[in-house]
Amino acid sequence: MAIELRTPAQVDEMRAAGQFVGEVLTALVDAADVGVDLLDLDALAHRMIRERGAESCYIDYAPSFGRGPFGKVLCTSVNDAVLHGLPHRYRLKDGDLVSFDFACSVDGWVGDSAVSIVVGTPREEDLALIAATEEALAAGIDAARAGNRLGDISAAIGGVARSHGLLVNTQFGGHSVGRTMHGDLHLPNDGRPGRGVRLDPGLVVAIEPWFLQSTDEIVMDPDGWTIRSADGSRGAHSEHTIAVTDGDPVILTARA
């Protein structure tokens, strides 16, 4: 497994992609509302990509686990869907929990990030689930320090999940980021501290905790992409691309 480290100058170059990804997610959160169609949100992201001169990481994406190519520029996962939601003709309803996952390349560097929100009137349990993913993301980022190990990030995420009584699925998780969206490094959302690859300055990874309310079992939709909870419970997903430095980790996809 090749672990690529970026120079400080390269990390600075990656900030443009991260900033743009944050801008798109902010625009999507602002646009999402009861009655808004998922395809219109995908079109918004697509328009922003064209205007920026960026390149989608999703539209031609065809990994072994999906029925590729993906064909859209945005993942929209609603309610019991939690990952890789393929945008389709669906108007958001009051109380829907929706996760947006977006990645693109700017000037040859990739940014990848995700956010979950509730449109309309929220359920308290949905807000609590979203907050748990955000807390786990913050804990994972805080553990992404030079000298630590990959397992320290995973353990921090898993510890937050357990503190909220949540189960953790480790089939899909974070990954290294660079010239492509998914590097060789896989970062599961649970693990043992002190284990795994050493974190050195210049390592850039996407940390992405995602949790389901009452299970860790998942099923695939007939569309070959959308991943849902096996028991119909809702899911939430939070993600940032970060860089390990000699000091505090740097969030490259921070949103205003």
Side-chain angles (χ1 to χ4, degrees):
M1 179 173 60
I3 305 299
E4 295 184 274
L5 299 178
R6 311 299 172 187
T7 66
Q10 288 175 325
V11 171
D12 282 342
E13 290 173 2
M14 296 183 76
R15 292 177 186 272
Q19 180 180 356
F20 177 66
V21 166
E23 290 171 357
V24 172
L25 287 175
T26 297
L28 291 166
V29 169
D30 289 343
D33 204 351
V34 176
V36 174
D37 197 289
L38 297 182
L39 290 180
D40 291 334
L41 294 170
D42 183 75
L44 169 61
H46 207 161
R47 183 171 67 252
M48 292 182 72
I49 288 172
R50 289 194 302 269
E51 291 172 351
R52 179 62 175 80
E55 182 177 346
S56 171
C57 292
Y58 290 166
I59 199 162
D60 295 322
Y61 188 49
S64 59
F65 63 81
R67 187 181 298 167
F70 188 72
K72 304 295 181 185
V73 302
L74 175 68
C75 292
T76 54
S77 303
V78 181
N79 295 334
D80 62 324
V82 66
L83 294 175
H84 310 150
L86 185 63
H88 59 284
R89 186 63 65 190
Y90 174 82
R91 293 191 179 277
L92 292 169
K93 297 178 174 60
D94 185 49
D96 276 350
L97 194 170
V98 58
S99 300
F100 300 120
D101 191 353
F102 179 72
C104 73
S105 174
V106 175
D107 300 326
W109 294 107
V110 171
D112 189 3
S113 186
V115 62
S116 296
I117 63 169
V118 177
V119 297
T121 309
R123 303 179 185 180
E124 288 301 319
E125 58 267 32
D126 289 344
L127 296 179
L129 185 66
I130 292 171
T133 67
E134 293 173 345
E135 181 184 341
L137 177 58
I141 292 171
D142 188 59
R145 297 178 181 276
N148 281 357
R149 298 277 177 173
L150 196 69
D152 294 311
I153 300 176
S154 298
I157 294 170
V160 170
R162 284 186 291 277
S163 76
H164 291 279
L166 299 169
L167 301 172
V168 181
N169 179 296
T170 56
Q171 291 171 258
F172 296 93
H175 48 90
S176 50
V177 178
R179 295 291 188 182
T180 60
M181 177 171 59
H182 287 151
D184 292 337
L185 192 65
H186 173 63
L187 203 171
N189 285 325
D190 199 10
R192 299 179 64 181
R195 300 295 182 91
V197 172
R198 176 187 167 91
L199 306 181
D200 290 319
L203 180 65
V204 178
V205 294
I207 300 175
E208 50 179 315
W210 59 275
F211 304 142
L212 303 167
Q213 283 174 332
S214 58
T215 185
D216 59 355
E217 298 294 325
I218 55 176
V219 293
M220 181 79 75
D221 260 13
D223 66 19
W225 282 102
T226 305
I227 292 175
R228 299 182 183 275
S229 66
D231 65 357
S233 63
R234 294 188 171 198
H237 179 198
S238 295
E239 177 183 15
H240 273 310
T241 298
I242 67 100
V244 178
T245 73
D246 288 317
D248 293 336
V250 174
I251 301 174
L252 298 173
T253 50
R255 295 183 293 276

